Amino acid sequence: MRAAAGESVLSRVIRILETFGSDVTVLSVSQIARRSGLHVATVSRLVEQMTRLGLLQRDGRSVRIGVRMWELGSRASPTVGLREAAMPFMEDLHAVVGHHIQLGVREGDEVLFVERLAAPGAVINYTRVAGRLPLHASSSGLVLCAHAPADVQERVIAGPLRTYTEHTIGTPRRLRSFLAQVRRQGYAFCQGHIHPDAAGIAVPLHDARRRVVAALAAIVPNDENARAQIPALRAAARGISRAMAGREANGT
């Protein structure tokens, strides 16, 4: 089915869903219209239909993503097996490190965080589940970029390279050198790249064919003890990679 202006109804539904984010969970119909670029009447009609289907939830003027949407997404997500294999090791690592532990996958030119463990009093961390960052900016993104296809690497290197602090990689030359270092040493160590007080350390996770499919990271205080977490991260990554290979061998 197509809308009168030539855009499919499905495309408009996607535009409505994309107005919500990890930091914007509740919107009014007029706000959705403004953020999506759709007419208010169109949004009002589609929101009503999506609410009946459980894709959205409405409470007076407030609209949010519905539980049905979460259910469908969780059921179909290709990261379900990855998260199930990783979680026991992430929990053990979290107990040792005592700060944020997160799991990220590459989605285009960004890292998408699919799981995260935190603790009260842990160092500041801007990432969250379903949050994204550019590949060049974080330790997880740099690990994934370092092992991405050459065309992806070249596109990211060409920029633009947004900087979050004075330590964020902001030039093509530095990024190319850093990616080579990540491949050589087997991890990314980023001090103050997203926030001056935090250091990100990430290691690659491999599938049964030794392809890098995700990154495991710890976000810890940016101090002289940060590097001490690298061996624990690498040990956890080996365990997760073995668990993923076992699940593939068993067809689960």
Side-chain angles (χ1 to χ4, degrees), residues 1-249:
M1 179 180 179
R2 289 203 160 264
E7 182 181 23
S8 69
V9 172
L10 179 59
S11 296
R12 296 184 178 200
V13 167
I14 295 298
R15 285 170 66 178
I16 288 173
L17 292 173
E18 287 180 339
T19 62
F20 297 92
S22 57
D23 57 340
V24 183
T25 59
V26 180
L27 294 167
S28 66
V29 168
S30 60
Q31 288 173 324
I32 294 172
R34 185 165 58 251
R35 291 168 68 95
S36 66
L38 297 172
H39 194 278
V40 172
T42 299
V43 171
S44 181
R45 185 184 73 254
L46 289 175
V47 164
E48 181 180 350
Q49 295 173 0
M50 293 166 72
T51 299
R52 287 201 301 268
L53 293 170
L55 301 179
L56 295 176
Q57 179 181 328
R58 191 163 187 175
D59 180 16
R61 298 178 60 186
S62 300
V63 182
R64 66 182 74 237
I65 297 293
V67 174
R68 179 65 172 165
M69 191 69 193
W70 171 84
E71 178 188 2
L72 293 172
S74 298
R75 186 188 305 165
S77 173
T79 66
V80 169
L82 167 64
R83 290 163 61 199
E84 290 178 349
M87 186 54 72
F89 298 93
M90 291 180 66
E91 290 174 343
D92 289 345
L93 182 63
H94 184 249
V96 172
V97 174
H99 288 272
H100 307 283
I101 304 298
Q102 52 200 37
L103 188 65
V105 297
R106 185 175 68 84
E107 182 73 13
D109 294 349
E110 297 176 308
V111 52
L112 171 65
F113 295 98
V114 298
E115 194 57 83
R116 177 173 177 261
L117 299 177
V123 69
I124 188 168
N125 183 10
Y126 290 150
T127 63
R128 61 186 71 188
V129 173
R132 295 170 179 255
L133 282 173
L135 288 178
H136 75 279
S138 71
S139 57
S140 295
L142 287 162
V143 162
L144 294 169
C145 188
H147 297 281
D151 63 315
V152 174
Q153 293 185 34
E154 292 303 321
R155 186 169 65 243
V156 173
I157 289 171
L161 301 175
R162 176 186 172 184
T163 57
Y164 295 80
T165 73
E166 62 179 342
H167 300 292
T168 310
I169 296 174
T171 66
R173 181 177 180 180
R174 185 182 170 205
L175 179 54
R176 192 181 297 278
S177 174
F178 198 96
L179 294 177
Q181 181 183 42
V182 169
R183 288 188 293 269
R184 184 170 61 251
Q185 66 188 13
Y187 62 86
F189 181 69
C190 303
Q191 293 184 282
H193 284 212
I194 298 294
H195 190 280
D197 295 338
I201 313 158
V203 293
L205 302 179
H206 300 86
D207 64 9
R209 288 181 280 179
R210 297 298 299 167
R211 296 176 302 181
V212 173
V213 295
L216 176 69
I219 309 300
V220 300
N222 185 12
D223 57 25
E224 66 277 4
N225 298 315
R227 283 189 178 273
Q229 310 301 335
I230 294 173
L233 266 166
R234 302 185 81 167
R238 288 192 294 270
I240 296 171
S241 297
R242 284 195 299 268
M244 288 195 296
R247 292 176 66 92
E248 290 181 40

